[in-house]
Amino acid sequence: MEEELIAIIPAAGKGTRLKPLTDFIPKELLILGDKPILGHILETLKPVPSIKRACLVVGHKKSTIIDYVKDGSQFDLEVDYVYQSERKGLGHAIYITRNKVPDNKPLFVYLGDTIIYPPQEIIEMIRTYYELKKPFALIMVEEVEDPERYGVVKVEKMNGHLKITDMYEKPTDPSLKKEYMNENGKWLAIAGAYIIRNRIYDYLENTPPGKGGEIQLTDALKNAVKEGERVFAYVLKGTRLDIGTVQSYIEAQKWWINNLLKVMENK
Ligand code: G1P
């Protein structure tokens, strides 16, 4: 039987790469098609049977986010919040949710500037997690050519799955490619969704600041791999909309509007 996963959604960033759009609106509330980005994220969790609770990490313009999501009931979710007062990185944002998550529950970390579509993709990822007999982590990845924007993973094939043997946050040294390149000559980038066991909090506690002086989730996961924890990659088959920059936001707008028009035409 599938146990409950607690969704953790970091949504505290300042959205610096989206300025001036984010001067008045947090990036998670920028409109995409017919609703805010965060609305789309929470909607994709609605059809997932094992996710009924979510914890949002808020900071920049937190009250507008709380005003919109409230207790989560409009998304069939029970939503709780933690406040990140200092920008100490993604790893820190996850760490401060530790008192909100019951000890035995795995986390479904879903980055607040990423939409995974369709929701079936998340259901399939959770199914794979059980097929792998609940490893320490299963990380959604996607092939990219510009690794400097992402965390990247090194993998080896194991019984039809991809086992992660090393990871690196935003590599700038192209010579790493020899080690990390897959058979298509591409890098495998962390795509913004992770299933992670609760023990990640212990690893995060012992993770020093890394890239950009911030506590990186990638570094904590890398330490877990080094300690012999089983960590796997799940290759995204659907679409990932990334709202990190003005350009990616405009591309996501185009994609979403086309998708919305198709859905409306078929009604
Ligand atoms: C974060 C993670 C990175 C991941 C990326 C996906 O980076 O640290 O490993 O590849 O999200 O969007 P950020 O975009 O917050 O700089």
Coordinates of all heavy atoms in Angstrom, one line a residue, residues 155-213:
V155 N 24.9 8.8 -13.3 CA 24.1 7.6 -13.0 C 24.7 6.3 -13.6 O 25.6 6.4 -14.4 CB 22.7 7.7 -13.7 CG1 21.9 8.8 -13.0 CG2 22.8 7.9 -15.2
E156 N 24.3 5.2 -13.0 CA 24.6 3.9 -13.7 C 23.4 3.1 -13.8 O 22.5 3.2 -12.9 CB 25.8 3.2 -12.9 CG 25.3 2.7 -11.5 CD 26.5 2.1 -10.7 OE1 27.7 2.4 -10.9 OE2 26.2 1.3 -9.8
K157 N 23.3 2.2 -14.8 CA 22.1 1.5 -15.0 C 22.0 0.3 -14.0 O 23.0 -0.3 -13.8 CB 22.0 0.9 -16.4 CG 21.8 2.1 -17.4 CD 21.1 1.5 -18.7 CE 20.7 2.7 -19.6 NZ 21.5 2.9 -20.8
M158 N 20.8 0.1 -13.5 CA 20.7 -1.0 -12.5 C 19.3 -1.6 -12.7 O 18.3 -0.9 -12.4 CB 20.9 -0.5 -11.1 CG 21.4 -1.6 -10.2 SD 21.6 -0.8 -8.5 CE 20.2 -1.6 -7.7
N159 N 19.2 -2.8 -13.2 CA 17.9 -3.5 -13.4 C 16.8 -2.6 -14.0 O 15.7 -2.5 -13.5 CB 17.3 -4.0 -12.1 CG 18.3 -4.9 -11.4 OD1 19.1 -5.6 -12.0 ND2 18.3 -4.9 -10.0
G160 N 17.2 -1.9 -15.1 CA 16.2 -1.0 -15.8 C 16.0 0.3 -15.1 O 15.2 1.1 -15.6
H161 N 16.7 0.6 -14.0 CA 16.6 1.9 -13.4 C 17.9 2.6 -13.4 O 18.9 2.0 -13.8 CB 16.1 1.7 -11.9 CG 14.7 1.2 -11.8 ND1 13.6 2.0 -12.0 CD2 14.2 0.0 -11.5 CE1 12.5 1.3 -11.9 NE2 12.9 0.0 -11.6
L162 N 17.9 3.9 -13.0 CA 19.1 4.7 -13.0 C 19.5 5.0 -11.6 O 18.8 5.8 -10.9 CB 18.9 6.0 -13.8 CG 18.7 5.9 -15.3 CD1 18.4 7.2 -15.9 CD2 19.8 5.2 -16.0
K163 N 20.6 4.4 -11.2 CA 21.1 4.6 -9.8 C 22.0 5.8 -9.8 O 22.9 5.9 -10.7 CB 21.8 3.4 -9.3 CG 22.2 3.4 -7.9 CD 22.6 2.0 -7.4 CE 22.7 2.0 -5.9 NZ 23.9 2.6 -5.4
I164 N 21.9 6.7 -8.9 CA 22.7 7.9 -8.9 C 24.0 7.6 -8.1 O 23.9 7.1 -7.0 CB 22.0 9.1 -8.3 CG1 20.8 9.5 -9.2 CG2 22.9 10.3 -8.0 CD1 20.0 10.7 -8.7
T165 N 25.1 7.9 -8.7 CA 26.4 7.6 -8.0 C 27.1 8.9 -7.6 O 28.1 8.9 -6.8 CB 27.3 6.8 -8.9 OG1 27.5 7.5 -10.2 CG2 26.8 5.4 -9.3
D166 N 26.7 10.0 -8.1 CA 27.3 11.3 -7.7 C 26.4 12.5 -8.2 O 25.6 12.2 -9.1 CB 28.7 11.5 -8.3 CG 29.6 12.4 -7.4 OD1 29.0 13.0 -6.4 OD2 30.8 12.5 -7.6
M167 N 26.6 13.6 -7.6 CA 25.8 14.8 -8.0 C 26.6 16.0 -7.9 O 27.6 16.1 -7.2 CB 24.6 15.0 -7.1 CG 23.9 13.7 -6.7 SD 22.6 13.9 -5.5 CE 21.5 15.0 -6.3
Y168 N 26.2 17.1 -8.6 CA 27.0 18.3 -8.6 C 26.0 19.5 -8.8 O 25.2 19.5 -9.7 CB 28.0 18.3 -9.7 CG 29.2 19.1 -9.5 CD1 30.4 18.6 -9.1 CD2 29.1 20.5 -9.7 CE1 31.5 19.4 -8.9 CE2 30.2 21.3 -9.5 CZ 31.4 20.8 -9.1 OH 32.5 21.6 -8.9
E169 N 26.1 20.5 -8.0 CA 25.2 21.6 -8.1 C 25.8 22.7 -9.1 O 26.9 23.2 -8.8 CB 24.9 22.3 -6.7 CG 24.0 23.5 -6.7 CD 22.5 23.1 -7.2 OE1 22.1 22.0 -7.2 OE2 21.8 24.1 -7.5
K170 N 25.1 22.9 -10.1 CA 25.5 24.0 -11.1 C 27.0 23.9 -11.5 O 27.7 24.8 -11.2 CB 25.1 25.4 -10.6 CG 23.6 25.4 -10.2 CD 23.1 26.8 -10.1 CE 21.6 26.8 -9.9 NZ 21.2 26.6 -8.5
P171 N 27.3 22.9 -12.3 CA 28.8 22.8 -12.7 C 29.1 23.8 -13.7 O 28.3 24.1 -14.6 CB 28.8 21.4 -13.3 CG 27.4 21.1 -13.8 CD 26.5 21.8 -12.8
T172 N 30.3 24.4 -13.6 CA 30.8 25.3 -14.6 C 32.0 24.8 -15.4 O 32.4 25.3 -16.4 CB 31.2 26.7 -14.0 OG1 32.0 26.3 -12.8 CG2 30.0 27.5 -13.6
D173 N 32.5 23.6 -14.9 CA 33.7 23.1 -15.5 C 33.2 22.0 -16.6 O 32.8 20.9 -16.2 CB 34.5 22.4 -14.4 CG 35.7 21.6 -14.9 OD1 35.9 21.7 -16.2 OD2 36.4 21.0 -14.1
P174 N 33.4 22.4 -17.9 CA 32.9 21.5 -18.9 C 33.5 20.1 -18.9 O 33.0 19.1 -19.4 CB 33.1 22.2 -20.2 CG 34.0 23.4 -19.9 CD 34.0 23.6 -18.4
S175 N 34.8 20.0 -18.3 CA 35.5 18.7 -18.3 C 34.7 17.6 -17.5 O 34.9 16.4 -17.7 CB 36.9 18.9 -17.8 OG 36.9 19.1 -16.5
L176 N 33.8 18.1 -16.6 CA 33.0 17.1 -15.9 C 32.1 16.3 -16.8 O 31.6 15.3 -16.4 CB 32.1 17.9 -14.9 CG 32.7 18.2 -13.5 CD1 31.6 19.0 -12.7 CD2 33.0 16.9 -12.7
K177 N 31.9 16.9 -18.0 CA 30.9 16.3 -18.9 C 31.3 14.8 -19.2 O 30.4 14.0 -19.3 CB 30.8 17.1 -20.2 CG 29.6 16.6 -21.0 CD 29.2 17.7 -22.1 CE 28.0 17.1 -22.8 NZ 27.6 18.0 -23.9
K178 N 32.6 14.6 -19.3 CA 33.0 13.2 -19.7 C 32.5 12.2 -18.7 O 32.0 11.1 -19.0 CB 34.5 13.1 -19.6 CG 35.2 13.6 -20.9 CD 36.6 13.2 -21.0 CE 37.5 14.3 -21.5 NZ 38.0 15.3 -20.6
E179 N 32.5 12.6 -17.4 CA 32.0 11.7 -16.3 C 30.5 11.7 -16.3 O 29.9 10.6 -16.0 CB 32.4 12.3 -15.0 CG 33.7 11.9 -14.4 CD 33.9 12.6 -13.1 OE1 33.1 12.3 -12.1 OE2 34.7 13.5 -13.0
Y180 N 29.8 12.8 -16.6 CA 28.4 12.9 -16.3 C 27.5 12.6 -17.5 O 26.3 12.4 -17.4 CB 28.1 14.3 -15.8 CG 28.3 14.4 -14.3 CD1 29.5 14.5 -13.7 CD2 27.2 14.5 -13.4 CE1 29.7 14.6 -12.4 CE2 27.4 14.6 -12.1 CZ 28.6 14.6 -11.5 OH 28.8 14.7 -10.2
M181 N 28.1 12.7 -18.7 CA 27.4 12.6 -20.0 C 26.6 11.3 -20.1 O 27.2 10.3 -19.8 CB 28.4 12.7 -21.1 CG 27.8 13.1 -22.4 SD 29.2 13.5 -23.5 CE 30.0 12.0 -23.7
N182 N 25.4 11.3 -20.6 CA 24.7 10.1 -20.8 C 24.9 9.6 -22.3 O 25.7 10.2 -23.0 CB 23.2 10.2 -20.4 CG 22.4 11.0 -21.4 OD1 22.9 11.5 -22.4 ND2 21.1 11.2 -21.1
E183 N 24.2 8.5 -22.7 CA 24.5 8.0 -24.0 C 24.1 8.9 -25.1 O 24.5 8.8 -26.3 CB 23.9 6.5 -24.2 CG 22.4 6.5 -24.1 CD 21.8 6.2 -22.7 OE1 22.6 6.5 -21.7 OE2 20.7 5.7 -22.6
N184 N 23.2 9.9 -24.8 CA 22.8 10.9 -25.8 C 23.7 12.1 -25.8 O 23.4 13.1 -26.5 CB 21.4 11.3 -25.6 CG 20.4 10.2 -25.6 OD1 20.6 9.2 -26.3 ND2 19.4 10.3 -24.8
G185 N 24.8 12.0 -25.0 CA 25.7 13.2 -25.0 C 25.2 14.3 -24.2 O 25.6 15.5 -24.4
K186 N 24.2 14.1 -23.3 CA 23.5 15.2 -22.6 C 23.8 15.0 -21.1 O 24.2 13.9 -20.6 CB 22.0 15.1 -22.8 CG 21.5 15.2 -24.2 CD 21.3 16.6 -24.6 CE 20.9 16.8 -26.1 NZ 19.7 16.1 -26.5
W187 N 23.6 16.1 -20.4 CA 23.6 16.1 -18.9 C 22.2 15.7 -18.4 O 21.2 16.0 -19.0 CB 24.0 17.4 -18.3 CG 25.3 18.0 -18.8 CD1 25.5 18.6 -20.0 CD2 26.5 18.2 -18.0 NE1 26.8 19.1 -20.0 CE2 27.4 18.9 -18.8 CE3 26.8 17.8 -16.7 CZ2 28.7 19.1 -18.4 CZ3 28.1 18.0 -16.3 CH2 29.0 18.7 -17.1
L188 N 22.2 15.1 -17.2 CA 20.9 14.8 -16.6 C 20.7 15.8 -15.4 O 21.5 15.8 -14.4 CB 20.8 13.4 -16.0 CG 20.7 12.3 -17.1 CD1 20.6 10.9 -16.4 CD2 19.4 12.5 -17.9
A189 N 19.8 16.8 -15.6 CA 19.6 17.8 -14.7 C 18.5 17.5 -13.7 O 17.4 16.9 -14.1 CB 19.3 19.1 -15.4
I190 N 18.6 18.0 -12.5 CA 17.5 17.8 -11.5 C 16.4 18.7 -11.9 O 16.6 19.9 -12.1 CB 18.1 18.2 -10.1 CG1 19.2 17.3 -9.7 CG2 16.9 18.2 -9.1 CD1 19.9 17.6 -8.4
A191 N 15.2 18.1 -12.0 CA 14.1 18.8 -12.7 C 13.0 19.4 -11.7 O 11.9 19.8 -12.1 CB 13.4 17.9 -13.7
G192 N 13.4 19.5 -10.4 CA 12.5 20.3 -9.6 C 11.4 19.4 -8.8 O 10.6 20.0 -8.1
A193 N 11.5 18.1 -8.8 CA 10.7 17.2 -8.0 C 11.5 16.1 -7.4 O 12.3 15.5 -8.1 CB 9.5 16.7 -8.8
Y194 N 11.3 15.8 -6.1 CA 12.1 14.8 -5.5 C 11.2 14.1 -4.5 O 10.4 14.7 -3.8 CB 13.2 15.4 -4.6 CG 14.0 16.6 -5.1 CD1 13.4 17.8 -5.4 CD2 15.4 16.5 -5.2 CE1 14.2 18.9 -5.8 CE2 16.2 17.6 -5.6 CZ 15.6 18.8 -5.9 OH 16.3 19.9 -6.3
I195 N 11.4 12.8 -4.4 CA 10.8 12.0 -3.2 C 12.0 11.7 -2.3 O 12.9 11.1 -2.8 CB 10.1 10.7 -3.7 CG1 8.9 11.1 -4.7 CG2 9.5 10.0 -2.5 CD1 8.3 9.9 -5.3
I196 N 11.9 12.1 -1.1 CA 13.0 11.9 -0.2 C 12.6 11.4 1.2 O 11.6 11.9 1.7 CB 13.8 13.2 0.0 CG1 14.0 14.0 -1.3 CG2 15.2 12.9 0.6 CD1 14.7 15.4 -1.1
R197 N 13.3 10.5 1.7 CA 12.9 10.0 3.1 C 13.3 11.0 4.1 O 14.2 11.9 3.9 CB 13.7 8.6 3.3 CG 13.2 7.5 2.4 CD 13.6 6.2 2.9 NE 12.7 5.8 4.0 CZ 11.6 5.2 3.8 NH1 11.2 4.9 2.6 NH2 10.8 4.9 4.8
N198 N 12.6 10.9 5.2 CA 12.7 11.8 6.3 C 14.1 12.1 6.8 O 14.5 13.1 7.4 CB 11.9 11.3 7.4 CG 11.1 12.3 8.1 OD1 11.7 13.0 8.9 ND2 9.8 12.5 7.7
R199 N 15.0 11.0 6.7 CA 16.4 11.2 7.2 C 17.1 12.3 6.5 O 18.2 12.7 7.0 CB 17.1 9.9 7.0 CG 16.7 8.7 7.9 CD 17.8 7.6 7.8 NE 18.1 7.1 6.5 CZ 17.4 6.3 5.8 NH1 16.3 5.7 6.3 NH2 17.8 5.9 4.6
I200 N 16.6 12.9 5.5 CA 17.3 14.0 4.8 C 17.5 15.1 5.8 O 18.5 15.9 5.7 CB 16.5 14.5 3.6 CG1 17.3 15.5 2.7 CG2 15.2 15.1 4.0 CD1 18.5 15.0 2.1
Y201 N 16.6 15.3 6.8 CA 16.8 16.4 7.8 C 18.2 16.2 8.5 O 18.8 17.2 8.8 CB 15.7 16.4 8.8 CG 14.3 16.8 8.1 CD1 13.2 16.0 8.2 CD2 14.2 18.0 7.4 CE1 12.0 16.3 7.6 CE2 13.0 18.4 6.8 CZ 11.9 17.5 6.9 OH 10.7 17.9 6.3
D202 N 18.6 15.0 8.8 CA 19.9 14.8 9.5 C 21.0 15.2 8.5 O 22.0 15.8 9.0 CB 20.0 13.3 9.9 CG 19.0 12.9 10.8 OD1 18.5 13.7 11.6 OD2 18.6 11.7 10.9
Y203 N 20.9 14.8 7.3 CA 22.0 15.2 6.3 C 22.0 16.7 6.2 O 23.1 17.3 6.1 CB 21.7 14.5 5.0 CG 22.1 13.0 5.0 CD1 21.0 12.1 5.0 CD2 23.4 12.6 5.0 CE1 21.3 10.7 5.1 CE2 23.7 11.2 5.0 CZ 22.7 10.3 5.0 OH 23.0 9.0 5.1
L204 N 20.8 17.3 6.1 CA 20.8 18.8 5.9 C 21.4 19.5 7.1 O 22.1 20.5 6.9 CB 19.4 19.2 5.7 CG 18.8 19.0 4.3 CD1 17.3 19.2 4.3 CD2 19.5 19.9 3.2
E205 N 21.2 18.9 8.3 CA 21.8 19.6 9.5 C 23.3 19.6 9.4 O 23.9 20.6 9.9 CB 21.3 18.7 10.7 CG 21.6 19.5 12.0 CD 20.8 18.8 13.1 OE1 19.8 18.1 12.9 OE2 21.1 19.2 14.2
N206 N 23.9 18.7 8.7 CA 25.3 18.6 8.6 C 25.9 19.1 7.3 O 27.0 18.7 6.9 CB 25.8 17.2 8.9 CG 25.4 16.8 10.3 OD1 25.7 17.5 11.3 ND2 24.7 15.7 10.5
T207 N 25.1 19.8 6.5 CA 25.6 20.2 5.2 C 26.0 21.7 5.3 O 25.2 22.6 5.6 CB 24.4 20.1 4.1 OG1 24.1 18.7 4.1 CG2 24.9 20.5 2.8
P208 N 27.3 22.0 5.0 CA 27.8 23.3 5.1 C 27.3 24.1 3.8 O 27.0 23.5 2.8 CB 29.3 23.2 5.1 CG 29.6 21.9 4.5 CD 28.4 21.0 4.7
P209 N 27.3 25.4 3.9 CA 27.0 26.2 2.7 C 27.9 25.8 1.5 O 29.1 25.5 1.7 CB 27.3 27.7 3.1 CG 27.2 27.7 4.6 CD 27.7 26.3 5.0
G210 N 27.3 25.7 0.3 CA 28.0 25.3 -0.9 C 27.9 26.4 -2.0 O 28.2 27.6 -1.7
K211 N 27.5 26.0 -3.2 CA 27.4 27.0 -4.3 C 26.6 28.2 -3.9 O 25.6 28.2 -3.2 CB 26.6 26.3 -5.4 CG 26.8 27.0 -6.7 CD 27.9 26.2 -7.5 CE 28.5 27.0 -8.6 NZ 29.5 26.2 -9.3
G212 N 27.2 29.4 -4.2 CA 26.6 30.7 -3.9 C 26.5 31.0 -2.4 O 25.7 31.8 -2.0
G213 N 27.2 30.2 -1.6 CA 27.2 30.4 -0.1 C 25.9 29.9 0.5 O 25.6 30.3 1.7

